[in-house]
Amino acid sequence: MLKAGITMQGTLHEQYGVKNQDAIRIFDAAGFTGVIACDGVSLKSDWTFSNSELAAALVSKASEAFLENKLEENLDPDHVCDQIRDAFLFSLAVLKDALEKAEIPFFDCQTTLIIALYKDGLLYGGIAGDGGILYQTKQHNSGTMITRLKSSSSVYPIGDTQEWRFFMGGSKEDPVVRFLVATDGVFDQLIVPYDGMPAGNYALIDKLFSIETIQEDEQGQWLQEQIEALEGHDDKTVAIIIDTDREVSEQDQDADSKEDDSKEDELTNAKEGDQTQSEDSKEADRSEPEVRRPESEESDQAADQ
C-alpha cells in the first residue's frame, strides 16, 4: 500500500504570521487504511484571524483515536459509514468541550473534517465542509465525494451538522485501486465547476497519482514539489493512497489473460496447420496417379532398343 501525504502553510498565512491551519493524518486500523484531513476556518466572526489550527489538530486527533478504538476487522460494509458518522459526533463533542473550557466562542474556532476509510477495494467517506475525495477504480472509472461545488469562500465546518455528507465508492466487480483526500487549497485545483457540474483537472489528477512511478525514498520530496508548484495562497494539504498489491494482482491477471490468448492463438494456428496439411493430402489424393507398365512390357522395349 502506497501512502503519502503533505500539509503546507499557504502564502497568505505566511505573510500575516498565521500558522498552517490544516491537519492531515494517515493511519491503519482493523484492516482499514484511513485518512483524516482538516482545514481550520481562518476568520472569526469579527473578520480577524482565528486560532483554528487548534480545532484542526484537536478534531483530526479525536477522529483518529475514535476510529482506531471502534473499527472492527469483520465490520459489515453497510455499517462503516455509521462509524464515520459516530467519529464526527465524537470529534464535535471533544471540540465543544475544549472551546468551552478555553472560553472561546464556538464559531470562532472551527474546522472542516474529511474522513476516508479504505478496505478491500471499497472506499467510505464523510465530509463536513469543503475539500473532498477523488478515487479511481480497476475499470478506470472515476468518482468524486464532495458536499457541494465550491462557488465562494463560504464554508460549512463541522459545527454545521446538517451539512455533513457520507459516501461509499467501489464494488467487488469494480474495486477502488487509488484515491486522494485534499483540503480546498489543493482540491479546488483538481475539481472545478463547469456548467454547474464538477469537472476534473485530469492532467493534474493523473500527475499526482503517478507518484507510484517515483522511487519510494523520493516520493515525499516529489509530492512536496508538486504541491508547492500549485497556484493559490491557501494552506495546501493532500494525502494519496494507492493499493499497489491490488494493482499487481490486476497486472498478473492481465498477463495470465494474454498468455491464455497466446496459447489459444497457438492452438488455433496448429489446428489451421493440420487442416492445411489435411487439405494438401486430399488434393494429392485427387491428382492423377502415376501409371506403371507391366515389367514384361518394359523388358520387351529394352530388348528392342
Side-chain angles (χ1 to χ4, degrees):
M1 191 79 74
L2 186 157
K3 308 170 192 174
I6 189 171
T7 181
M8 301 175 59
Q9 181 188 32
T11 55
L12 180 65
H13 285 171
E14 182 179 2
Q15 179 182 352
Y16 286 94
V18 178
K19 295 180 180 180
N20 180 1
Q21 296 182 327
D22 282 5
I24 188 76
R25 289 178 175 270
I26 303 174
F27 65 98
D28 295 305
F32 290 88
T33 297
V35 176
I36 297 172
C38 290
D39 180 0
V41 180
S42 294
L43 299 177
K44 297 189 293 186
S45 54
D46 63 1
W47 291 89
T48 60
F49 282 111
S50 69
N51 295 109
S52 61
E53 69 275 3
L54 303 176
L58 187 63
V59 167
S60 62
K61 183 177 180 180
S63 299
E64 179 183 0
F66 179 89
L67 292 169
E68 286 179 333
N69 289 325
K70 295 295 184 179
L71 287 175
E72 300 174 357
E73 288 281 354
N74 298 321
L75 184 62
D76 190 309
D78 292 337
H79 296 154
V80 177
C81 283
D82 293 337
Q83 291 284 23
I84 294 177
R85 184 187 297 273
D86 289 344
F88 273 58
L89 291 168
F90 176 77
S91 302
L92 178 58
V94 169
L95 178 62
K96 284 183 176 179
D97 184 61
L99 295 180
E100 287 176 3
K101 290 180 179 178
E103 297 183 347
I104 298 175
F106 181 61
F107 279 101
D108 280 355
C109 191
Q110 282 288 303
T111 182
T112 67
L113 172 60
I114 303 174
I115 296 178
L117 294 177
Y118 173 83
K119 184 178 182 180
D120 297 334
L122 299 180
L123 178 63
Y124 311 86
I127 304 177
D130 49 20
I133 303 169
L134 297 175
Y135 64 88
Q136 295 178 347
T137 69
K138 174 182 177 180
Q139 297 180 14
H140 309 291
N141 292 313
S142 298
T144 305
M145 299 178 181
I146 56 175
T147 56
R148 63 181 66 200
L149 283 175
K150 190 74 173 288
S151 58
S152 69
S153 60
S154 62
V155 61
Y156 300 90
I158 190 172
D160 290 311
T161 57
Q162 293 183 348
E163 297 296 326
W164 295 357
R165 298 291 183 271
F166 301 92
F167 313 85
M168 178 178 172
S171 65
K172 291 183 179 179
E173 295 74 23
D174 190 18
V176 172
V177 293
R178 62 184 68 86
F179 70 94
L180 64 81
V181 177
T183 59
D184 63 337
V186 174
F187 194 79
D188 289 354
Q189 300 188 53
L190 300 173
I191 295 294
V192 295
Y194 181 76
D195 286 344
M197 298 293 290
N201 182 349
Y202 295 110
L204 180 54
I205 294 170
D206 289 342
K207 186 174 186 179
L208 291 179
F209 279 135
S210 72
I211 189 173
E212 63 182 322
T213 65
I214 307 300
Q215 292 186 2
E216 186 175 356
D217 59 350
E218 298 177 0
Q219 288 173 357
Q221 179 62 33
W222 180 88
L223 183 58
Q224 179 175 338
E225 291 172 356
Q226 309 314 307
I227 302 306
E228 282 182 336
L230 296 180
E231 298 179 357
H233 56 76
D234 200 0
D235 298 334
K236 297 178 176 64
T237 298
V238 64
I240 301 172
I241 307 296
I242 299 178
D243 192 341
T244 50
D245 292 337
R246 188 172 295 276
E247 285 191 333
V248 169
S249 176
E250 292 168 22
Q251 292 171 2
D252 291 342
Q253 291 176 1
D254 291 342
D256 291 342
S257 178
K258 290 179 180 178
E259 185 176 352
D260 292 341
D261 291 343
S262 177
K263 289 180 178 179
E264 185 176 348
D265 291 341
E266 291 177 2
L267 182 60
T268 301
N269 292 335
K271 289 182 178 179
E272 290 177 351
D274 292 342
Q275 184 176 2
T276 301
Q277 184 175 3
S278 177
E279 293 294 336
D280 291 343
S281 299
K282 292 179 181 178
E283 187 68 29
D285 292 341
R286 287 195 296 267
S287 61
E288 184 176 345
E290 180 183 0
V291 178
R292 295 185 60 84
R293 287 173 292 191
E295 291 183 3
S296 57
E297 183 177 348
E298 293 176 357
S299 299
D300 293 340
Q301 288 184 359
D304 293 338
Q305 293 175 355

